[in-house]
């Protein structure tokens, strides 16, 4: 099989490629990524010399470039990770989110429609988020039947792309699957997201900003568990269906940050209080969703996927990885990153 992976230089895409390229030498993996601030070829050093791996720097919003790749490689399956993914950036600058997440997805779907004969074993797998469902109160869970109710420009753009993917199945019989996953964490995550930002700041002795009161709840999943769930859906998921992915790991943000202080203190031998003193409370995110929580019953019962990491084991692995990969972190936190930190946090 020839797999076209979009956004494979980002956090989840690079974990996916590092995990599956060596595992499946019989498949070819083509990574297309335009290397935005979030895309980094250093994350793929493990697989860059594998014979079944190829990279092309391509913008999915550019239909001519996508067509070239379809002509050159004739992919059987598309696994679509590429996106603008950070909620705060979608608040300060939504346009890119529309271009990549909506137009980019549309371009890929159009190319599949043009180049695929559907009786073959083709598949467009769309990687999406639980944020399309909006926010939960104190109770309840997102299921595959929860109505869409996105609240940020990011989640609205992902919801639009989900609807396009679904429409191509119903209108054109394009074989598709969609997964909606909760918050991921693990190695290779860009330090704009809560967990890597906090790890980095604690290690550097810099302040740790918590939005609002730190009471918002997220449902955390270790990234390799997410990648395995995606592979399970690609292999065995029913075409035309969506699957929610989550590991029943709800924590509020303050709990997450305190756990990180403790794990880092265990590694460094420093007093945990030294880290706790770095926590500050800053102005809340506009439209901040209160709580996300996934009901993973469908993927568990129908496809037999279960997570393997607990939040404890996953956090330990993640902290250890960041401690051992200081160079990776340094290489991606230069000019653009500092501009973002100033824009989002200074005078907040
Ligand atoms: P990321 O921001 O780390 O990586 C995105 C990648 O896409 C980068 O390599 C970037 O260069 C690339 N990209 C962006 N615009 C592009 C364009 N126009 N053309 C080609 N490549 C482009 O994102 P991530 O956290 O790895 O998320 C991957 C996917 O998973 C996204 O679709 C996201 O919505 C979804 N998702 C993420 C999470 C999470 O917690 N991170 C949870 C659920 C779903
Ligand atoms: O739920 C899945 C989504 O999870 C993905 O679709 C998104 O791509 C991904 O970015 C993530 O979105 P969140 O907004 O939940 O993740 P983030 O790491 O930005 O924030 C997690 C929580 O921490 C959220 O409640 C906001 C809060 N936060 C975040 C940052 C960056 C802070 O309190 N302080 C911070 O500095």
């Amino acid at each position: 099989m020839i797999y076209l992976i979009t956004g494979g230089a980002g956090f989840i895409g690079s974990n996916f490629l590092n995990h599956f390229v060596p595992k499946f030498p019989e498949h070819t993996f083509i990574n297309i990524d335009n290397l935005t601030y979030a895309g980094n070829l250093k994350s793929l050093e493990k697989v860059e010399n594998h014979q079944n791996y190829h990279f092309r720097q391509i913008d999915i919003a550019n239909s001519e470039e996508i067509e070239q790749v379809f002509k050159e490689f004739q992919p059987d399956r598309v696994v679509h990770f590429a996106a603008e993914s950070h909620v705060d950036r979608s608040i300060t600058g939504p346009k890119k989110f529309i271009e990549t997440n909506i137009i980019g997805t549309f371009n890929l779907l159009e190319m599949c429609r043009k180049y695929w004969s559907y009786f073959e074993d083709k598949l467009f797998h769309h990687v999406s988020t639980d944020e399309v469902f909006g926010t939960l109160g104190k109770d309840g869970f997102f299921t595959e039947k929860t109505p869409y109710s996105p609240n940020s420009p990011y989640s609205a753009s992902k919801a639009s792309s989900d609807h396009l993917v679904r429409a191509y199945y119903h209108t054109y019989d394009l074989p598709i699957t969609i997964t909606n996953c909760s918050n991921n964490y693990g190695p290779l995550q860009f330090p704009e997201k809560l967990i890597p930002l906090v790890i980095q700041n604690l290690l550097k002795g810099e302040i740790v900003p918590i939005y609002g009161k730190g009471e918002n709840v997220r449902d955390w999943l270790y990234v390799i568990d997410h990648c395995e769930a995606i592979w399970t859906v690609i292999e065995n998921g029913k075409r035309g269906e969506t699957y929610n992915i989550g590991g029943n790991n709800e924590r509020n943000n303050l709990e997450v940050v305190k756990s990180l202080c403790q794990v880092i203190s265990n590694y460094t031998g420093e007093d945990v209080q030294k880290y706790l003193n770095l926590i500050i409370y800053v102005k809340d995110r506009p439209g901040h969703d209160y709580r996300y929580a996934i009901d993973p019953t469908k993927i568990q019962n129908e496809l037999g996927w279960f997570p393997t990491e607990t939040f404890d084991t996953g956090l330990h692995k993640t902290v250890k990885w960041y401690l051992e990969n200081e160079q990776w972190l340094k290489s991606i936190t230069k000019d653009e990153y500092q501009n973002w930190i100033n824009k989002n946090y200074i005078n907040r």
Side-chain angles (χ1 to χ4, degrees):
M1 285 277 174
I2 299 176
Y3 283 84
L4 184 70
I5 310 298
T6 75
F11 162 51
I12 307 175
S14 60
N15 274 287
F16 184 90
L17 286 164
N18 287 327
H19 192 62
F20 290 118
V21 168
K23 195 167 173 182
F24 295 119
E26 68 274 29
H27 297 317
T28 301
F29 295 85
I30 323 296
N31 173 18
I32 59 168
D33 194 304
N34 70 340
L35 303 179
T36 67
Y37 76 92
N40 183 1
L41 292 180
K42 281 199 189 334
S43 305
L44 290 157
E45 282 170 351
K46 240 173 96 177
V47 295
E48 66 188 5
N49 293 322
H50 280 243
Q51 298 223 320
N52 62 334
Y53 171 77
H54 305 270
F55 172 71
R56 294 287 181 277
Q57 186 167 356
I58 278 175
D59 184 345
I60 59 164
N62 182 324
S63 56
E64 285 88 31
E65 289 181 5
I66 300 285
E67 182 142 25
Q68 279 312 315
V69 169
F70 268 73
K71 282 186 179 154
E72 185 182 355
F73 292 103
Q74 300 173 17
D76 302 297
R77 290 176 172 181
V78 173
V79 187
H80 180 30
F81 292 98
E84 288 292 334
S85 70
H86 196 44
V87 174
D88 293 317
R89 289 189 194 244
S90 84
I91 296 168
T92 55
K95 188 162 180 239
K96 265 255 150 265
F97 287 72
I98 307 305
E99 288 163 357
T100 292
N101 300 0
I102 305 178
I103 306 291
T105 303
F106 165 71
N107 283 341
L108 289 162
L109 289 166
E110 276 294 86
M111 228 41 78
C112 295
R113 187 160 84 88
K114 184 165 173 185
Y115 282 92
W116 284 355
S117 324
Y118 300 157
F119 52 85
E120 295 163 9
D121 188 16
K122 307 294 192 202
L123 178 68
F124 185 98
H125 179 75
H126 182 57
V127 180
S128 194
T129 169
D130 58 0
E131 298 200 11
V132 297
F133 301 122
T135 187
L136 291 165
K138 287 215 178 302
D139 304 315
F141 295 91
F142 297 135
T143 74
E144 287 77 3
K145 295 198 166 66
T146 303
Y148 275 35
S149 185
N151 290 320
S152 71
Y154 162 69
S155 54
S157 68
K158 289 297 289 187
S160 307
S161 64
D162 290 14
H163 288 319
L164 278 170
V165 175
R166 186 177 179 278
Y168 271 63
Y169 171 75
H170 285 280
T171 307
Y172 304 115
D173 280 339
L174 192 85
I176 66 102
T177 42
I178 299 175
T179 45
N180 295 89
C181 187
S182 60
N183 284 60
N184 283 213
Y185 68 101
L188 299 165
Q189 187 168 30
F190 193 78
E192 64 189 353
K193 307 289 199 294
L194 180 70
I195 287 184
L197 178 92
V198 171
I199 295 174
Q200 171 191 252
N201 288 13
L202 290 176
L203 291 175
K204 283 164 69 181
E206 292 179 2
I207 55 145
V208 168
I210 293 190
Y211 298 166
K213 295 182 179 157
E215 288 169 351
N216 301 66
V217 175
R218 297 293 182 264
D219 184 356
W220 295 95
L221 185 70
Y222 191 67
V223 62
I224 298 298
D225 280 326
H226 183 194
C227 293
E228 285 287 354
I230 291 170
W231 195 266
T232 303
V233 171
I234 291 169
E235 289 290 292
N236 301 317
K238 200 165 163 230
R239 280 28 185 170
E241 296 272 315
T242 74
Y243 296 86
N244 282 0
I245 305 172
N248 295 113
N249 262 313
E250 285 183 58
R251 300 281 187 286
N252 76 34
N253 294 334
L254 188 56
E255 287 170 332
V256 171
V257 173
K258 284 185 173 170
S259 298
L260 283 167
C261 291
Q262 188 57 60
V263 176
I264 290 180
S265 148
N266 294 346
Y267 272 106
T268 62
E270 301 272 356
D271 187 349
V272 67
Q273 195 56 46
K274 171 185 151 181
Y275 297 115
L276 293 170
N277 289 344
L278 294 169
I279 296 173
I280 61 157
Y281 295 88
V282 300
K283 192 168 155 219
D284 210 350
R285 173 186 279 174
H288 198 173
D289 286 336
Y290 169 62
R291 174 173 166 257
Y292 305 142
I294 288 277
D295 175 354
T297 306
K298 181 176 175 184
I299 190 168
Q300 292 182 347
N301 287 356
E302 293 184 13
L303 305 182
W305 170 87
F306 291 87
T308 58
E309 300 290 345
T310 64
F311 195 53
D312 258 13
T313 60
L315 268 198
H316 275 89
K317 280 189 176 177
T318 305
V319 167
K320 185 166 181 285
W321 187 88
Y322 279 91
L323 281 166
E324 289 169 356
N325 288 275
E326 248 181 277
Q327 277 315 316
W328 179 89
L329 200 55
K330 275 200 183 125
S331 71
I332 57 163
T333 48
K334 297 210 174 105
D335 302 345
E336 195 286 336
Y337 182 71
Q338 284 314 322
N339 292 342
W340 166 250
I341 294 296
N342 294 343
K343 190 170 180 178
N344 195 46
Y345 296 100
I346 305 290
N347 302 324
R348 192 184 170 100

